[in-house]
Amino acid sequence: MPKKNQQHQQKKPPVTPSPERREELLRIAADVFAEQGYNATTVRKIADAAGMLAGSLYYHFDSKESMLEEILRTFLTELWDGYDGVLSAPLGPRETLEALVTESFREIDRHRSAVAIYQKESKHLVTQTRFEYLVESQQRFEKAWLTTLERGVTEGVFRADLDIRLAYRFVRDTVWVAASWYRPGGGHSPEEIARQYLSMVLDGIAVRTT
Amino acid sequence: MPKKNQQHQQKKPPVTPSPERREELLRIAADVFAEQGYNATTVRKIADAAGMLAGSLYYHFDSKESMLEEILRTFLTELWDGYDGVLSAPLGPRETLEALVTESFREIDRHRSAVAIYQKESKHLVTQTRFEYLVESQQRFEKAWLTTLERGVTEGVFRADLDIRLAYRFVRDTVWVAASWYRPGGGHSPEEIARQYLSMVLDGIAVRTT
DNA sequence: GCTCTTCCCTAACAAGTGTTTGGTAGATTA
DNA sequence: TAATCTACCAAACACTTGTTAGGGAAGAGC
């Protein structure tokens, strides 16, 4: 990474690029990031995919890292829009879990690339102050899931003999890794996949009704 | 990547580095690869972690990519040693699945870094002819799991109403993503984690005995 | 006509990349 | 003691990286 810029500089364009073009370029960049990995993706590859030259990207964005941040931030914002709707609804623990999983698969359907990037890169990114919001989101995420699971246990709809934190990671991972193989328009709708996943997960987590 | 070497050149050292030192350096490299990602890891970082200079690595290995290949190949070789033992044993489908999962968690315990690298990088690597063995391994892997699942369905121990391929990805992913958070010596033994995971997975896959 | 704005190109930069070449301190062998 | 071998260092190499500076074509508004 050349050019050691001073870190306290985040404004850049004195010009005004159109938001539509930005979004289009971000979609392209997200696809390349997801497929090749962030570090392996050069700005020249992104520019190629967009049909322009590397330097031209800097008319719209002030750095490669800014593109990554905007991609992830947009995704997380929309994700929490959906989650907050579910969490504020008066649902039982089982219904909450079902709704969260279904919502997650819908987000995977909509932001497949962003989800893939998030999974691959978030672990390194959280150390940078610029990506602190990832940690914050992660903590809210964990809290929402753990609370739902614990509520289910005390209400007797989830098995009490399970390690809650292990179950959390189990549910979390099974849902999100789907982004690595899911292809939109591939026979299964997000809702259908959610139904199947829930069928597998719940009949292991829900209390046996004999 | 500087130096466009001719591609048909794989022998290099006219000297004889000790295998013990190689193994030690590979363990170090694997840890750095796993933590930072392959592309984000420079040979200078590996050398730093090993307490030497970048160029010195080339006394033991002929390229950074060779290190990666040797790490993954060693892991897969040991993995299939364990798997083949399980698959050749006269076990029922349920016992086979249990043994495969348990064996997988043992491998995660032993080769945590290699597993993490495999998960992050294998998707891009499979396109290179040098890493064709990854594809081959992946196919054997899929076949072993699918066969076990199908056998379980026909023998009536696994639910017949599930999409087999979805169930395969479900089981596969739930097992291997554990490498992203598992820390050896952290309270849970591999066998204990396997037991808990199997409890969650099986009671969703196994036929209800009412 | 002229001026602004939008969007991209050309051409370069400084830092970082994997890798090579030649040398050398220290142990091992003759 | 001399020769050899092991394992590393020092210094460079050719190339790639993200990024910048200046310019220009096409259109809109006056």
Side-chain angles (χ1 to χ4, degrees), chain A residues 135-199:
Chain A
V135 183
E136 188 190 337
S137 170
Q138 197 188 26
Q139 288 169 343
R140 286 184 62 195
F141 194 87
E142 180 171 342
K143 189 176 179 181
W145 277 102
L146 282 181
T147 303
T148 304
L149 288 173
E150 281 164 2
R151 204 155 57 93
V153 168
T154 60
E155 294 185 19
V157 299
F158 296 145
R159 287 168 53 185
D161 63 322
L162 293 176
D163 182 323
I164 283 276
R165 294 197 58 82
L166 218 72
Y168 156 63
R169 287 192 278 242
F170 177 76
V171 176
R172 175 196 63 184
D173 294 341
T174 52
V175 169
W176 292 112
V177 289
S180 64
W181 53 261
Y182 179 74
R183 291 291 170 275
H188 296 287
S189 72
E191 288 79 8
E192 203 177 326
I193 296 185
R195 214 176 39 76
Q196 289 249 15
Y197 261 66
L198 282 168
S199 169

Side-chain angles (χ1 to χ4, degrees), chain A residues 196-210:
Chain A
Q196 289 249 15
Y197 261 66
L198 282 168
S199 169
M200 291 188 273
V201 169
L202 274 176
D203 287 338
I205 287 184
V207 169
R208 296 277 197 133
T209 53
T210 343

Side-chain angles (χ1 to χ4, degrees), chain A residues 34-37 39-40 119-120 123-124 159 161-163 166-167 169-170 172-174 177-181 183 188 192-193 196-197 199-205 207-210, chain B residues 34-37 39-40 119-120 123-124 159 161-163 166-167 169-170 172-174 177-178 180-181 183 188 192-193 196-197 199-210:
Chain A
E35 205 169 340
Q36 321 227 9
N39 282 291
Q119 286 202 286
K120 270 188 206 158
K123 208 183 163 198
H124 336 148
R159 287 168 53 185
D161 63 322
L162 293 176
D163 182 323
L166 218 72
R169 287 192 278 242
F170 177 76
R172 175 196 63 184
D173 294 341
T174 52
V177 289
S180 64
W181 53 261
R183 291 291 170 275
H188 296 287
E192 203 177 326
I193 296 185
Q196 289 249 15
Y197 261 66
S199 169
M200 291 188 273
V201 169
L202 274 176
D203 287 338
I205 287 184
V207 169
R208 296 277 197 133
T209 53
T210 343
Chain B
E35 205 169 340
Q36 322 226 8
N39 282 291
Q119 286 203 285
K120 271 188 205 158
K123 208 182 163 200
H124 338 146
R159 287 168 54 185
D161 64 322
L162 293 176
D163 183 323
L166 218 73
R169 287 192 278 240
F170 177 77
R172 176 197 61 184
D173 294 342
T174 52
V177 288
S180 64
W181 53 261
R183 291 291 170 275
H188 296 286
E192 204 177 325
I193 296 184
Q196 290 248 16
Y197 260 66
S199 170
M200 292 188 272
V201 170
L202 273 176
D203 287 338
I205 288 183
V207 170
R208 299 276 198 132
T209 52
T210 342

Side-chain angles (χ1 to χ4, degrees), chain B residues 91-179:
Chain B
L91 299 173
R94 184 187 167 112
E95 288 75 23
T96 301
L97 185 140
E98 287 175 348
L100 285 179
V101 168
T102 304
E103 179 62 27
S104 300
F105 278 105
R106 288 207 193 95
E107 295 298 333
I108 291 175
D109 187 48
R110 291 242 275 271
H111 296 99
R112 202 183 94 260
S113 295
V115 175
I117 297 168
Y118 179 85
Q119 286 203 285
K120 271 188 205 158
E121 316 290 346
S122 70
K123 208 182 163 200
H124 338 146
L125 296 177
V126 289
T127 58
Q128 300 173 235
T129 55
R130 178 171 199 174
F131 291 93
E132 264 174 0
Y133 67 99
L134 292 180
V135 183
E136 189 190 335
S137 170
Q138 196 188 26
Q139 288 169 343
R140 286 184 63 195
F141 194 86
E142 181 172 341
K143 188 175 180 183
W145 277 103
L146 282 181
T147 303
T148 304
L149 288 172
E150 281 164 2
R151 205 155 58 93
V153 169
T154 59
E155 295 186 17
V157 299
F158 296 146
R159 287 168 54 185
D161 64 322
L162 293 176
D163 183 323
I164 282 278
R165 294 197 57 82
L166 218 73
Y168 156 63
R169 287 192 278 240
F170 177 77
V171 176
R172 176 197 61 184
D173 294 342
T174 52
V175 169
W176 292 110
V177 288

